[in-house]
Structures are given as C-alpha cells and as structure tokens.
C-alpha cells in the first residue's frame, strides 16, 4: 500500500513558540491531504482539508490563523501550530489521497506527530 | 456526513473469527463504507471498503446488508496483533472526507 510519512514523530516546545509538522506521500501524488488531531482516549477529529495549490478548508471551530496549512506540492503538506499553548498538546495525524483514477483509490494515514507544549 | 453506530468494545479469542458490526441507517446511495483500524500511538490503517457488494482482501472481509443500512467487518482468525480500535466510516462521494466516530475497541485474548 501507499506510504505517508510525518516529521517529526514527536516534538516538545515552549509555550508561545511555533511548530511545523511535515506530511509527505512517499510513493504517490496526493492532490488532497487532511489533518486530524487526536486527544488521549478520544477519536480523530478532522481539522482541515487541503488541496494542492489552493487554500485549506477548515472544519468548524478550527482557527485557521492558529493552524496554518500549506500544500505546495503533490507530495508535501505542512501544518504549523502558531503560538502554541499547552492545550494544543495532542497527537496530530495527516492523511493523503491520490489523484482520482490513480493506483490507490483510498486514503492513507501518516504515523502521527506527538506535540507536547510546556 | 451520515453517522455510524458501533459497539464500544468487543472481545475475541485468538485464532477465532471476529464479527464487528456497524449500523448506518442514514447512509445515502453514494456513500462508501470504509473500515480503518488504529493501534495505540499510531495513525489509522486502512482495512477494507465497499459500496454494495461484499468485499474480501488479505486482511478481512466486509459483508454489507442488502439495504446497506448495516455492515460487518469479519476477521477470519484473530491474532493478538489485531487488537485495535476499529472504525466504520461512511465516505461521502461529494466531500470525500473521513469523519471518525468512537469506533470499537477489540481485545484479543490468548
């Protein structure tokens, strides 16, 4: 199956700093990437959908100025948590879907990034 | 997006079949039924998906009711590595988004 990677796998930062998380599709081109957040013992919550070359679409209640998403190429999307605070500590997971009509007509998930804000 | 209902938890014995149910009574004609599973501290893993007909792959089988209002994920021989949270999700044709519910936590006993 297709592989989606994330970097870093975990990060610890001080309150008020910004953190960037990368999501890459390694063996396919992803026109659409999704970002999820998961708190302990809870399910995944969709934060935003990004299409290559256009602005991300955020789910209701997600602050677009706080969670900056860039999807500049068909294999890379980044999520920047700006001015992070302890309540932003969470498990962030990206997902990618291939071009329509491609080999993989499915959505694949990255391994996740554990963010801890002190 | 249409909603799914799954039992919170299920138990199984190793090497026995497991049937994980999912109700989706408000499914629309263009919704695909997807199953993913998630191990602790990992991203979700694709298991199987279908539209109307039953589906089989190397991981599992998906049995879809004739009226499509329910489906069952079948693991033919559960192993300890199958212990995970299993999510049944309806993927809208138009939105393409996967909206996760609470899923079923499967415990596999040796």
């Amino acid at each position: 199956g297709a592989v989606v990677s994330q970097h870093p796998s975990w990060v610890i930062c001080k309150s008020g700093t910004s953190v960037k998380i990368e999501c890459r599709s390694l063996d396919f081109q992803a026109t659409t990437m999704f970002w999820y957040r998961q708190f302990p013992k809870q399910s995944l919550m969709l934060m935003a959908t990004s299409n290559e070359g256009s602005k991300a679409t955020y789910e209701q209640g997600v602050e677009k100025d706080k969670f900056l998403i860039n999807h500049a190429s068909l294999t890379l999307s980044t999520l920047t948590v700006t001015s992070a605070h302890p309540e932003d500590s969470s498990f962030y997971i990206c997902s990618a879907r291939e071009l329509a009509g491609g080999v993989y007509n499915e959505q694949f998930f990255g391994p996740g990034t554990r963010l801890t804000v002190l | 997006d249409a909603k799914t209902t799954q039992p919170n938890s299920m138990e199984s014995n190793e090497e026995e079949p497991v049937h994980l149910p999912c109700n989706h009574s408000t499914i629309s004609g263009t919704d695909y039924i997807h199953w993913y599973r998630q191990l602790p501290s990992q991203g979700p893993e694709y298991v199987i998906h279908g539209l109307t007909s039953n589906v089989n792959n190397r991981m599992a089988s998906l049995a879809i009711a004739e009226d499509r209002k329910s489906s069952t994920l079948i693991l033919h021989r559960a192993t300890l590595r199958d212990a995970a949270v299993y999510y049944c999700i309806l993927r809208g044709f138009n939105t393409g988004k996967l909206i996760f519910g609470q899923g079923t936590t499967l415990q596999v006993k040796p």
Side-chain angles (χ1 to χ4, degrees):
Chain A
V3 178
V4 176
S5 71
Q6 283 184 240
H7 177 80
S9 55
W10 60 269
V11 57
I12 301 173
C13 70
K14 291 183 179 179
S15 185
T17 61
S18 294
V19 174
K20 180 185 283 189
I21 303 169
E22 290 187 353
C23 175
R24 293 181 185 272
S25 56
L26 297 186
D27 52 357
F28 67 101
Q29 293 184 318
T31 49
T32 307
M33 288 187 170
F34 305 85
W35 286 95
Y36 292 81
R37 181 168 55 179
Q38 185 176 33
F39 293 108
K41 299 192 184 302
Q42 293 187 23
S43 186
L44 285 77
M45 186 196 80
L46 179 64
M47 298 174 67
T49 303
S50 74
N51 291 300
E52 184 263 340
S54 57
K55 289 184 179 181
T57 302
Y58 291 81
E59 295 297 307
Q60 192 171 8
V62 178
E63 300 175 56
K64 62 179 181 181
D65 293 331
K66 180 166 185 62
F67 300 100
L68 302 179
I69 293 172
N70 183 281
H71 189 166
S73 78
L74 287 173
T75 59
L76 173 65
S77 175
T78 60
L79 167 68
T80 301
V81 183
T82 62
S83 186
H85 291 285
E87 57 265 30
D88 298 322
S89 298
S90 188
F91 192 48
Y92 291 87
I93 306 168
C94 76
S95 179
R97 193 167 72 219
E98 195 182 21
L99 288 163
V103 176
Y104 305 114
N105 184 26
E106 215 17 87
Q107 191 168 320
F108 297 95
F109 288 80
T113 296
R114 177 78 57 193
L115 170 63
T116 301
V117 185
L118 302 177
Chain B
D1 296 291
K3 188 177 177 181
T4 63
T5 304
Q6 299 177 253
N8 288 334
S9 62
M10 290 184 67
E11 282 187 358
S12 172
N13 294 317
E14 197 175 12
E15 299 193 5
E16 289 186 356
V18 182
H19 290 231
L20 297 166
C22 180
N23 286 320
H24 29 79
S25 58
T26 59
I27 190 170
S28 72
T30 56
D31 285 340
Y32 282 81
I33 303 161
H34 290 249
W35 284 82
Y36 283 80
R37 70 181 186 182
Q38 185 181 28
L39 278 67
S41 298
Q42 295 187 27
E45 175 188 27
Y46 168 76
V47 178
I48 201 167
H49 79 282
L51 183 62
T52 55
S53 303
N54 293 344
V55 185
N56 299 299
N57 66 20
R58 65 175 179 81
M59 288 182 70
S61 295
L62 176 60
I64 302 172
E66 197 169 333
D67 63 6
R68 299 211 326 128
K69 293 185 176 182
S70 66
S71 61
T72 302
L73 178 70
I74 303 166
L75 306 179
H76 296 286
R77 285 181 71 230
T79 70
L80 296 179
R81 291 182 299 176
D82 290 324
V85 180
Y86 286 79
Y87 296 99
C88 169
I89 306 166
L90 300 183
R91 180 175 134 187
F93 179 79
N94 291 328
T95 68
K97 296 189 289 189
L98 293 176
I99 305 299
F100 285 76
Q102 292 306 307
T104 297
T105 300
L106 175 65
Q107 290 184 314
V108 181
K109 297 183 288 185

